Amino acid sequence: MGAMDTRQTTVSDTVTVLDDILRDGGLHCVYQPFVDVDTGVVVAFEALLRGPAGSPLQSPMALLDAARATDRLADLERASLLSSLQDAATMSPARPVTLFVNLEPSTLTQRLDVVLDALATRVPHVQVVVEITERALAEDVAGILAGAERLRAAGCAIALDDVGVHPESLAFIPLLRPEVVKLDLKLLRTVKDPATVTVAGAVRAYAEQAGAEVVAEGIETPDDLTRALVLGATLGQGWLWSRGERQFPPSTFRPERFTARPIGAALRATPYELIGAGKRIRHAPKHLLVPLSKTLELMALQAAVPPMLLAAFEHADFFRPSTVRRYTELAARLPFIAALGVDMVPEPAPGVRGGSLSIQDPLASEWTVVVLGAHTAAALMARDLGDTGPDGDRQFEFVVTYDRTVVTAAAHAMAGRLTRP
């Protein structure tokens, strides 16, 4: 009983301290620059949260832990955002500035209105980039994509933080399509490690294709800067330049480097609707399309950087025991695999994310297999022509494509239907 009383007292004290900080405006931010690694020019700043000096919640981790424990995370992030936006308006009144701010996944998916209300207070000369961590992606794919799209509609670019902590998350980068990719600082210390080279190569491939910025964190020495260049970074952060200051030193405003690029209608369409002009539509019975589907699965398994695989089966009835066996193997070796269909259960095979479709959803009449990763993009997109008779003889009109733009759009359309389990 005494231990419980002590715990309750501790929680109560934390709540009181945090409430006092939020009410009295005891939060503040320091600002660490983003430096162009080729020219040495400062082009942006990251807001780093701090609590009142000398208080139990002085450090950002203590603040975040307290906010999570007391269900005040969104309130804390709102206060932090308002503080940094006000600083940018008053500390850099005569010149535009690009400001990076951090957002927890739960706030992005559950309390985003709080953030959007705060963003509405920013002055016109402040450009905002919102950082989210890569750990959020597998937990709630549809929620993260929808939240990111709302932020882009509000004029904010997206930065994906801590990339490389879990190399399998590389598969999600082309799905989220962040405008900025931040390499985890541990990569700077392991430049010769093959795993690090693989991560850096995957990020570089994405950045070249999408026109994204790549940030190397933790640069402390000139040698670190050289390593960052080897990793393919375009921007750097670290103590070599600053540990964070309560000011915005002179910088060069390059808004085009951090412009939001919305995904758009792909999240609401179906893969077949996204085929577009220039693709030849073919017709074939299902039994001839099955080998094409299995070939895409094999491609996913053989990829050097494992991709994600998303498949739509029309109805759960078509996710047969043989499919369960194949997809169980795929799920054991791929970072993310999902199966959608009418009446599909949340986990139709071990490790497979299930997505249940409404019978009215147009995707319920499509058969699609999408493979998307750092170096892989392929899809079979087919539409059921409504034939009756033996299943293998049912006719489909279809396209097989390796066009990364089309494949990515198809992946968006399917992932946007995967509600959190």
Side-chain angles (χ1 to χ4, degrees):
M1 188 70 178
M4 184 178 294
D5 288 343
T6 301
R7 180 183 177 279
Q8 289 174 342
T9 300
T10 302
V11 172
S12 177
D13 291 344
T14 299
V15 170
T16 300
V17 173
L18 185 58
D19 282 347
D20 289 344
I21 291 173
L22 293 175
R23 183 186 65 250
D24 300 335
L27 298 173
H28 68 279
C29 294
V30 297
Y31 300 96
Q32 189 176 51
F34 289 80
V35 178
D36 185 299
V37 293
D38 293 305
T39 66
V41 171
V42 174
V43 295
F45 298 91
E46 181 177 357
L48 304 175
L49 181 63
R50 301 289 183 267
S55 79
L57 301 182
Q58 177 177 343
S59 78
M61 292 309 299
L63 277 168
L64 289 168
D65 287 345
R68 290 190 190 97
T70 57
D71 197 26
R72 284 164 167 77
L73 192 55
D75 297 329
L76 176 65
E77 294 191 307
R78 176 181 180 275
S80 173
L81 181 55
L82 288 172
S83 176
S84 61
L85 291 174
Q86 180 62 30
D87 283 347
T90 58
M91 294 180 181
S92 182
R95 52 190 171 84
V97 65
T98 298
L99 180 68
F100 279 62
V101 300
N102 291 274
L103 195 63
E104 285 291 303
S106 60
T107 304
L108 176 66
T109 57
Q110 301 169 31
R111 298 286 306 279
L112 189 56
D113 287 342
V114 171
V115 175
L116 294 174
D117 288 345
L119 285 169
T121 69
R122 71 189 185 274
V123 295
H125 72 266
V126 178
Q127 181 185 43
V128 176
V129 180
V130 177
E131 291 190 25
I132 61 176
T133 60
E134 52 84 38
R135 71 175 183 275
L137 290 168
E139 297 172 5
D140 187 2
V141 179
I144 294 296
L145 288 178
E149 202 63 0
R150 290 179 68 190
L151 286 169
R152 286 177 171 129
C156 300
I158 302 298
L160 187 60
D161 198 9
D162 298 334
V163 171
V165 175
H166 303 292
E168 65 271 16
S169 68
L170 295 173
F172 288 99
I173 294 177
L175 184 69
L176 179 64
R177 293 190 65 79
E179 287 80 5
V180 181
V181 178
K182 299 188 73 175
L183 301 173
D184 183 72
L185 56 86
K186 296 184 183 67
L187 299 181
L188 208 61
R189 314 292 174 230
T190 57
V191 172
K192 296 181 181 180
D193 189 315
T196 295
V197 175
T198 298
V199 170
V203 171
R204 193 194 304 261
Y206 166 74
E208 288 183 355
Q209 181 269 327
E213 300 286 340
V214 180
V215 181
E217 299 184 277
I219 297 177
E220 299 180 3
T221 67
D223 284 345
D224 286 343
L225 179 56
T226 301
R227 295 185 186 97
L229 294 170
V230 171
L231 291 176
T234 58
L235 300 172
Q237 266 186 292
W239 291 358
L240 178 63
W241 299 288
S242 171
R243 297 194 177 199
E245 304 176 51
R246 280 288 296 154
Q247 61 176 329
F248 291 88
S251 62
T252 299
F253 188 54
R254 295 291 303 275
E256 72 281 0
R257 297 181 71 163
F258 309 104
T259 299
R261 296 188 292 269
I263 293 172
L267 289 174
R268 297 180 295 277
T270 71
Y272 200 84
E273 292 169 348
L274 294 165
I275 289 174
K279 298 290 190 299
R280 296 195 178 200
I281 307 297
R282 309 292 192 185
H283 294 74
K286 180 177 179 178
H287 71 87
L288 291 181
L289 296 181
V290 169
L292 293 178
S293 174
K294 291 181 178 179
T295 298
L296 294 182
E297 296 168 10
L298 182 61
M299 176 189 297
L301 290 173
Q302 293 177 338
V305 178
M308 65 170 50
L309 188 148
L310 307 167
F313 290 87
E314 299 187 85
H315 195 283
D317 289 346
F318 297 121
F319 200 78
R320 297 196 169 96
S322 60
T323 313
V324 170
R325 290 192 293 272
R326 294 202 322 275
Y327 273 63
T328 298
E329 179 184 356
L330 289 166
R333 297 172 59 184
L334 300 182
F336 187 82
I337 181 168
L340 298 94
V342 176
D343 292 337
M344 193 72 74
V345 297
E347 191 176 22
V352 176
R353 176 77 60 84
S356 182
L357 302 176
S358 164
I359 192 67
Q360 284 80 35
D361 190 328
L363 185 57
S365 64
E366 295 183 17
W367 173 23
T368 302
V369 179
V370 170
V371 176
L372 180 64
H375 306 298
T376 313
L380 164 67
M381 296 182 286
R383 182 160 60 187
D384 192 336
L385 294 178
D387 292 343
T388 57
D391 181 50
D393 293 336
R394 289 192 299 126
Q395 291 289 316
F396 287 79
E397 53 183 14
F398 74 97
V399 164
V400 175
T401 180
Y402 299 88
D403 182 326
R404 178 170 284 273
T405 299
V406 175
V407 173
T408 301
H412 288 148
M414 298 173 75
R417 288 169 161 84
L418 289 172
T419 56
R420 188 168 186 168

